[in-house]
Amino acid sequence: MKKMLLVISLVLCLSAFSAAKDTFYNFTLDGFCDGMSLRLYTPGAPVPKILVGGLHVLGDCVNNFNVGGFKHGISPTVQYPGSTGAVLDVSDPLLGLFGIDASLQFLINTNFHTWTIYEGPDGVGNYLLNEGTYSNAAKPMTKGVGTKASVTR
Amino acid sequence: MTKRSLLLTLISSIMVLTICLAGQTDKKQTPVLADAGAANPFGEFRSFSAVLNGGIGRDHDRKIYRSGDLMRLDFENYYRITDLRKLTTQSIHPDRCALVQAPDAGSYPFSAYHDFKIGRSLTGEKETVDGHVCQIENVTFTSTDGRFVTIKMKLWKAEDMNGFPIQIEAEANGIKLTPLHYSNVSLTPPDPKLFQHPAKCLNITQGSQMGTTKKDSAPSRPAPDDKTAPAATQPPQKPQQ
């Protein structure tokens, strides 16, 4: 009986994973020209729905940049003030494509509609670059109301 | 093996694991300011205000203030205070505050390389920057943790400002960083009020957030910066080679 229950639970879990639909996020970073178009998904069982792919739309106010990452829990002490819980943690190649040898990491909290950006510029540290809120946007996304990109402070 | 011995083994394993993890946590070290080699050139200026352009945050006319271990950076409608020793940042908004466990990009290089070995040498050369006659000093920071990280800097130290480095070029392991430029430098201690917490943020140093933000509420929006030229003409600048 116990074994049967275990098997049924396992099957139900796997079914839940495989049935998980993709979630899409399209938003502009408030006060800036750029935004994000992200897809949270699972490639299928047994991988949970924690993978993120998408675009940093108009990352330099002109071009789009491919981003990718994971959804995971993280301390509120590295998030935008007041935000708690899981984030979409995506890396962005923008700086590298402009010849700047530095990492660029977005932490996006979809519950609180907030974001923070960290930059690792020197092989030693990771610095708070920028932070803010976001507003949902229609798709296709249009340029935000800001006149500068979020990575330019 | 009886159930009892299995249970005992399990409990013992958990205890050992807990002790191991606690030991790892204890290994975290507090940065020590320039305790190896020469003194940190940025430790000499513990009270000043200036306008920062460039740097790793590619700041544009960022007003900064330093008082002791604290550095304040002004943004459009809020400010941040980085603790240069603890490497944390207080982010103080009109309606909320928080302690972020990372230094602000604009605090570089004052917040960096505290536990590195430092080598300094004046080149004997002089150049004029923004009307200030500057001595040029080369500084090398070398990691002491076995990671072989070397940071080389060239400082333009203004003679009429006690040698404040108004221009800095830096490279990390041979890769150039965006140069820094400080203008409107004042060595007069900034107003202490600039570093005080608003009443609603009194326990910010304990890591708690104060304010009115609620889950799924509409957060306040930063005002667009109309003074800045469109970023389409201002992409992140590659450091000059």
Side-chain angles (χ1 to χ4, degrees):
Chain A
M1 183 66 180
K2 276 184 181 176
K3 277 185 180 175
M4 188 183 284
L5 275 175
L6 190 67
V7 169
I8 290 170
S9 303
L10 192 64
V11 169
L12 283 174
C13 281
L14 292 176
S15 303
F17 280 136
S18 61
K21 290 182 179 175
D22 296 354
T23 304
F24 293 92
Y25 301 95
N26 293 289
F27 54 86
T28 54
L29 307 179
D30 294 336
F32 297 95
C33 66
D34 49 331
M36 289 276 181
S37 181
L38 302 175
R39 171 190 173 220
L40 175 64
Y41 70 101
T42 168
V47 183
K49 188 177 167 183
I50 55 167
L51 276 74
V52 182
L55 290 174
H56 182 186
V57 180
L58 303 172
D60 61 348
C61 292
V62 177
N63 303 293
N64 299 337
F65 299 85
N66 298 324
V67 298
F70 298 90
K71 179 177 183 177
H72 59 79
I74 199 166
S75 167
T77 61
V78 291
Q79 296 196 43
Y80 183 83
S83 304
T84 58
V87 297
L88 306 185
D89 180 349
V90 295
S91 65
D92 187 334
L94 189 155
L95 293 178
L97 291 170
F98 279 101
I100 298 170
D101 184 6
S103 66
L104 196 60
Q105 204 84 17
F106 278 77
L107 301 183
I108 298 152
N109 190 312
T110 57
N111 248 347
F112 287 83
H113 290 204
T114 58
W115 52 272
T116 50
I117 311 176
Y118 289 86
E119 178 180 348
D122 59 355
V124 179
N126 204 19
Y127 291 81
L128 174 64
L129 182 64
N130 218 343
E131 59 182 348
T133 57
Y134 73 74
S135 300
N136 289 334
K139 199 179 177 183
M141 286 177 60
T142 53
K143 195 169 179 177
V145 295
T147 55
K148 63 180 179 181
S150 58
V151 298
T152 58
R153 304 222 308 175
Chain B
M1 196 179 268
T2 64
K3 277 187 179 177
R4 182 174 241 181
S5 60
L6 263 174
L7 190 66
L8 280 173
T9 308
L10 183 65
I11 291 170
S12 306
S13 303
I14 290 170
M15 286 176 70
V16 168
L17 189 64
T18 306
I19 290 165
C20 288
L21 288 174
Q24 285 181 350
T25 307
D26 290 339
K27 284 175 186 171
K28 188 179 176 185
Q29 293 177 346
T30 305
V32 179
L33 291 176
D35 62 344
N40 188 318
F42 307 111
E44 298 169 14
F45 302 96
R46 294 182 59 80
S47 293
F48 68 87
S49 59
V51 173
L52 166 65
N53 277 281
I56 61 173
R58 298 161 297 284
D59 283 286
H60 178 70
D61 288 340
R62 178 81 54 218
K63 186 75 179 172
I64 65 170
Y65 311 85
R66 180 176 183 180
S67 178
D69 287 336
L70 303 179
M71 179 171 282
R72 170 176 163 144
L73 302 99
D74 285 350
F75 290 78
E76 286 162 38
N77 61 347
Y78 68 101
Y79 59 95
R80 298 177 190 162
I81 296 177
T82 289
D83 187 314
L84 303 173
R85 181 178 290 272
K86 294 178 181 171
L87 304 183
T88 58
T89 298
Q90 301 158 18
S91 190
I92 299 167
H93 294 244
D95 61 343
R96 72 201 71 170
C97 312
L99 183 70
V100 180
Q101 298 290 336
D104 182 84
S107 67
Y108 182 91
F110 291 88
S111 56
Y113 315 131
H114 294 327
D115 52 354
F116 280 46
K117 185 179 178 183
I118 300 170
R120 300 175 58 172
S121 64
L122 281 168
T123 64
E125 300 170 29
K126 289 188 180 183
E127 288 182 17
T128 301
V129 176
D130 295 344
H132 301 281
V133 176
C134 297
Q135 292 187 18
I136 295 175
E137 180 174 355
N138 291 326
V139 183
T140 302
F141 297 88
T142 309
S143 65
T144 55
D145 58 6
R147 289 187 302 133
F148 308 109
V149 177
T150 301
I151 315 293
K152 291 182 179 176
M153 289 191 188
K154 183 178 179 181
L155 311 183
W156 281 259
K157 303 173 66 175
E159 288 185 336
D160 59 349
M161 288 190 287
N162 294 344
F164 188 92
I166 59 174
Q167 185 167 293
I168 301 170
E169 288 181 359
E171 61 177 56
N173 285 336
I175 306 291
K176 293 203 175 190
L177 309 184
T178 307
L180 299 101
H181 186 265
Y182 297 99
S183 58
N184 296 342
V185 177
S186 169
L187 299 180
T188 305
D191 187 342
K193 287 179 182 173
L194 291 169
F195 297 88
Q196 290 175 356
H197 299 308
K200 63 184 168 60
C201 302
L202 282 179
N203 62 350
I204 192 172
T205 53
Q206 293 166 9
S208 55
Q209 298 83 36
M210 308 295 288
T212 55
T213 304
K214 289 177 183 169
K215 194 174 173 179
D216 286 335
S217 66
S220 62
R221 297 184 183 189
D225 183 6
D226 295 327
K227 297 172 188 172
T228 312
T233 57
Q234 288 186 328
Q237 297 297 304
K238 182 181 180 180
Q240 291 178 349
Q241 299 296 318

